[in-house]
Amino acid sequence: MEPKFSRFQDDPDIKVMLKGSTLRKVKSSSWKKRRFFRLLEDGLTLWYRSRWAGRHSSFPVTELEAVREGHQSEVLQSIAEEFPADHCFTLVFHGRQGNLDLIADSPDEAQAWIQGVRKLIHRSSTMNEKERLDQWVWDWFRKADKNKDGKMDFKEVRKLLKMMNVEMNEEHALHLFMMADVSNCGSLEIEQFVHYYKLLTQRDEVLKVFQDFSTDGERLTMDELENFLRIEQLKEEGSSQYARQLIDRYEPSDSAKKQGAMSLDGFQMYLCSQESSIFDPGRQVLHQDMEQPLSHYFISSSHNTYLLDNQLSGQSSQEAYIQALKRGCRCVEVDAWDGSDGEPIVYHGHTLTSKILFKDVISTLKTYAFTASDFPVILSLENHCGVEQQTVMAQHLSQILGDMLLRHPLDEQMPQHLPSPQKLKGKIILKAKKMGGADGGQDGHLMDEVSDEEELADGDAESKSNLSRELSDLVVYCRSKQFQGFEHARDHGTCLEISSFSESKAKRHAKDKGTDFIQYNTRQLSRIYPSGLRTDSSNYNPQDLWNVGCQIVALNFQTAGLEMDLNDGLFRQNGSSGFVLKPDFLRDGNTQFSPEKPEERPGYRPLRLSIQVISGQQLPKVNQKEGSIVDPLVRVEIYGVPQDQAREETSHINNNGFNPSWNETLNFTVHAPELALVRFVVEDYDKASKNDFIGQFTLPFTCIQTGYRHIHLLSKDGTAIPPSSIFVNVSISERT
């Protein structure tokens, strides 16, 4: 019954990995240590130990996103002369986890590991729900089988339950154990353990739904499944064809398939699948009109993109750009300063952050700009260089980016509107200062623009210096301009000008002049950046700025938490392309919409959102101590216009992270559903101190699927933590 790894074991690359290799683990040009790495027999865990100390570590293949060959990291580039590229490779992890740089003793050994890991990543990413669950159960069995005899007695099983986050009545656990121990030998082999696990995870709440629609309680006929889809999941069109597809896709029993029916197992598989997730799959793909002006979209945007950590002493790194771009970010920031050898450098000025070369950042941008999305990337240049090194920057931009760099307007005339994301596909757009007015007139002097940090630095030298003609010529659609008020912008502004606002100024405008700000944002781009006082690189809540149509709401992508959850949630729709079309009332130049008074807009239709939180499944442990079990609660938070900000939570369940059951309903009224985001948070209740975070999932209100749904939880880092989920029943209705 071991998951399908056996067919892999004859693969020559996997054989090398199973046998193990001594590889150099590299952290810097001076830290290179030999470690013994091997793939464990489960085919899903990489294990390594130091040659001398008895210490060892391991990590699952599922945490890996990719393998890069050769000198493709800053660390490996720094030792390129010492070790040839064909010996080197980098393991890249999901989320914000740091990479692992490795050097093999020969090109053949490096290739075996590169190709082997790629095969394992492919295998783990193409598993279906059943294979994933089998693998999960198998992993637990292996962890608990301490003496490695392939069997588990009741004592080991009891320990395993604790490890799996479940506190179970001993009598009940023993009763199930005896049911599974069909040979009465006092221990379970893996197949019996799987049976035991099924008894343990029998989901009464799913059985109840199943039996509500099944006449015989054994299976759902095609008609009964159609009924369920129509009544509960609100799937009206083509439901008989859809029901047939679901049976083909999720029903494990061939005989049920032949009869066109679905068993409880198949029904549970369907309910746990991505198709039945709370996020409507139709909204997840690219589906919006991408032909409107750039100013009509929210754009996923990063601040201080070069930082992996905080802005006082953190590491500047090309890796930070790669991570942001992989997350779908479409506006990155580069702070450029004069370098000592004539080469501009990138870092957070006047601080202890490390420095990287401007040309290396641009090379990274060229390689990774369009891996997650084809739509344009805005390069927001914070220019602190003198004229000479500005010219060097212009040369690097032109030579490295080539045709990717947008150098001329798409049409020769001065445009009335910005071009669309569709027309700008594959282009990198420079946002920077331009000589003279909007038409690029007067020579050599900057337009009156302040830098992000200027409020703190009290008049940076940069704003008084001259500008290089070569750099100025590369600025086309995003000409940085100091904001001089909404009236001035209405009378004199053009769509080519973009202003930056600190979070405090932007929030003040949003509150006092919300409608003016919205009208301004229908024509021009605005960029919001975090306060310079956030030295820990924390983030502000982006929602207030999205409410008034600000497109480039820049966040510190390196800092996990609520604000990045909201950003990930908003941009998870529309193919994760980094562009989301604003609601129509934020695109109309004459709009009178105010976030403070959503009820005054034409077509105002508040909605009622009702969420029955039914149960939780296999929640991760917060405290890794063997005896500690979580006491979970679920909170639903709404982010949107001020009237929609709300949170409600369930009570907590004592000592059960395995299959807690709440059956509590939380109700909300949503006045501007087009702007609302819904965040589900699971926490470990603690009466003496702050609750611990367990998992979350955030999505736009407009992307919710109603009916019985699973919410697949994400870690603090935004990465999946299967098989953890929350089972809910969602309904949305007009408020009467």
Side-chain angles (χ1 to χ4, degrees), residues 40-89:
L40 296 185
E41 285 66 27
D42 65 356
L44 264 193
T45 310
L46 285 169
W47 178 97
Y48 64 97
R49 70 150 186 260
S50 147
R51 289 194 78 188
W52 315 118
R55 284 204 300 253
H56 58 81
S57 302
S58 66
F59 56 87
V61 172
T62 48
E63 287 182 5
L64 290 175
E65 184 182 299
V67 191
R68 296 190 203 138
E69 290 186 57
H71 300 140
Q72 281 205 62
S73 75
E74 285 153 84
V75 171
L76 291 175
Q77 280 162 12
S78 72
I79 54 162
E81 288 179 11
E82 198 182 342
F83 296 97
D86 57 7
H87 288 231
C88 302
F89 59 99

Side-chain angles (χ1 to χ4, degrees), residues 602-664:
Y604 164 68
R605 270 179 54 221
L607 295 175
R608 185 181 200 81
L609 171 66
S610 183
I611 296 166
Q612 183 194 7
V613 180
I614 303 170
S615 61
Q617 292 74 45
Q618 289 101 13
L619 302 177
K621 290 183 80 141
V622 171
N623 187 329
Q624 288 310 317
K625 286 209 290 277
E626 216 160 83
S628 83
I629 310 267
V630 297
D631 304 327
L633 62 83
V634 178
R635 188 169 58 253
V636 178
E637 303 169 346
I638 311 285
Y639 295 87
V641 298
Q643 262 173 274
D644 287 343
Q645 309 281 357
R647 46 176 51 199
E648 296 283 334
E649 63 185 38
T650 65
S651 50
H652 67 275
I653 305 289
N654 282 327
N655 273 342
N656 188 353
F658 189 70
N659 54 1
S661 177
W662 290 279
N663 285 312
E664 293 179 42

Side-chain angles (χ1 to χ4, degrees), residues 168-362:
M168 186 175 263
N169 170 307
E170 191 147 330
E171 238 172 275
H172 183 54
L174 183 60
H175 172 66
L176 294 182
F177 182 89
M178 289 162 78
M179 281 172 69
D181 180 16
V182 284
S183 51
N184 285 331
C185 64
S187 63
L188 305 181
E189 292 183 0
I190 181 70
E191 282 84 357
Q192 293 164 331
F193 177 70
V194 171
H195 179 54
Y196 177 71
Y197 176 80
K198 272 203 163 164
L199 295 170
L200 195 65
T201 52
Q202 187 152 345
R203 291 187 48 191
D204 295 341
E205 73 277 33
V206 173
L207 178 64
K208 183 180 176 311
V209 179
F210 182 81
Q211 288 178 336
D212 282 349
F213 287 86
S214 163
T215 314
D216 64 0
E218 294 293 314
R219 52 188 53 193
L220 291 171
T221 63
M222 189 82 84
D223 286 351
E224 289 166 347
L225 180 56
E226 260 184 77
N227 261 347
F228 167 76
L229 293 170
R230 194 176 60 254
I231 294 165
E232 296 294 349
Q233 311 297 74
L234 301 183
K235 295 278 183 203
E236 295 292 343
E237 319 93 61
S239 58
S240 63
Q241 195 184 349
Y242 184 52
R244 176 77 256 179
Q245 285 170 359
L246 293 184
I247 290 169
D248 288 344
R249 216 168 293 159
Y250 300 108
E251 178 50 55
S253 150
D254 289 337
S255 64
K257 259 187 198 167
K258 283 197 183 86
Q259 293 167 7
M262 188 177 256
S263 67
L264 177 59
D265 275 355
F267 186 64
Q268 194 160 311
M269 287 287 177
Y270 154 65
L271 282 182
C272 291
S273 70
Q274 285 300 331
E275 192 161 352
S276 195
S277 138
I278 191 162
F279 203 116
D280 180 350
R283 299 289 185 129
Q284 232 161 342
V285 296
L286 189 69
H287 67 281
Q288 293 180 339
D289 173 8
M290 301 308 284
E291 299 278 9
Q292 301 209 23
L294 220 47
S295 54
H296 287 190
Y297 297 83
F298 296 123
I299 302 170
S300 180
S301 306
S302 151
H303 177 64
N304 288 350
T305 314
Y306 44 87
L307 289 181
L308 278 172
D309 204 341
N310 71 68
Q311 62 194 54
L312 280 187
S313 59
Q315 184 190 351
S316 302
S317 170
Q318 290 145 248
E319 196 59 46
Y321 285 94
I322 297 172
Q323 289 188 12
L325 291 164
K326 280 194 316 201
R327 284 179 95 107
C329 177
R330 298 288 87 194
C331 178
V332 297
E333 186 184 21
V334 176
D335 276 18
W337 298 78
D338 281 338
S340 55
D341 58 355
E343 279 293 343
I345 52 174
V346 173
Y347 82 115
H348 201 274
H350 315 302
T351 64
L352 300 173
T353 56
S354 60
K355 302 169 175 64
I356 45 180
L357 290 175
F358 177 81
K359 64 179 178 187
D360 288 345
V361 170
I362 303 307

Side-chain angles (χ1 to χ4, degrees), residues 279 564-573 677 698-700:
F279 203 116
M564 274 307 295
D565 293 346
L566 296 177
N567 198 75
D568 289 346
L570 176 69
F571 291 105
R572 192 168 276 122
Q573 63 185 314
L677 290 166
T698 306
L699 77 164

Side-chain angles (χ1 to χ4, degrees), residues 80 187 204 209 443 447 571 579 590 705:
S187 63
D204 295 341
V209 179
D443 255 17
M447 296 195 313
F571 291 105
F579 284 84
N590 301 312
Q705 288 201 98

